[in-house]
Amino acid sequence: MQYVMAKLATRSKRVNQLIKSTPALLYYDGTYLEETMRRERVLEIEVLQAIRSSGTDFDQVEAVVLETDGTFSVLTSTDTVLRNVQTKKTTRFR
């Protein structure tokens, strides 16, 4: 089954998009992105839990991202966000 799906994904852009996930921005600059949260089936309390687990003060949080492996990345400033996007380094919590 996995072989068949991998073969289809390499031949069809549409199939590849259906089976591959991408990181989803859930919270940015003080705003919950409700449509994304609904699509990803994430509750506001789960985002808050990820922030608490990171040990970061809520006022310092710039963004929260749901990663492709189901973990949350809590980013603390615009500079950090840009640096982490470029180097792919984030703090992850399950």
Side-chain angles (χ1 to χ4, degrees):
M1 179 73 163
Q2 183 177 358
Y3 174 79
V4 172
M5 294 306 288
K7 193 77 164 171
L8 287 172
T10 59
R11 293 177 183 242
S12 168
K13 186 176 180 179
R14 177 78 174 142
V15 172
N16 190 31
Q17 290 173 340
L18 286 172
I19 64 172
K20 302 279 179 162
S21 63
T22 58
L25 186 62
L26 303 174
Y27 176 87
Y28 181 72
D29 197 26
T31 304
Y32 291 95
L33 305 177
E34 294 178 9
E35 186 173 323
T36 305
M37 291 174 64
R38 191 175 12 259
R39 184 177 62 244
E40 298 295 335
R41 298 185 179 121
V42 174
L43 301 173
E44 186 176 317
I45 194 164
E46 292 174 299
V47 174
L48 291 170
Q49 180 183 5
I51 294 169
R52 279 194 312 273
S53 295
S54 73
T56 305
D57 184 31
F58 187 77
D59 296 334
Q60 296 175 346
V61 174
E62 182 75 22
V64 177
V65 177
L66 177 62
E67 300 292 350
T68 59
D69 62 359
T71 60
F72 294 94
S73 296
V74 178
L75 307 173
T76 56
S77 73
T78 303
D79 292 337
T80 303
V81 170
L82 294 175
R83 196 173 330 113
N84 287 333
V85 168
Q86 292 170 354
T87 62
K88 303 212 187 276
K89 291 181 183 175
T90 55
T91 305
R92 296 177 183 210
F93 299 92
R94 259 207 182 228

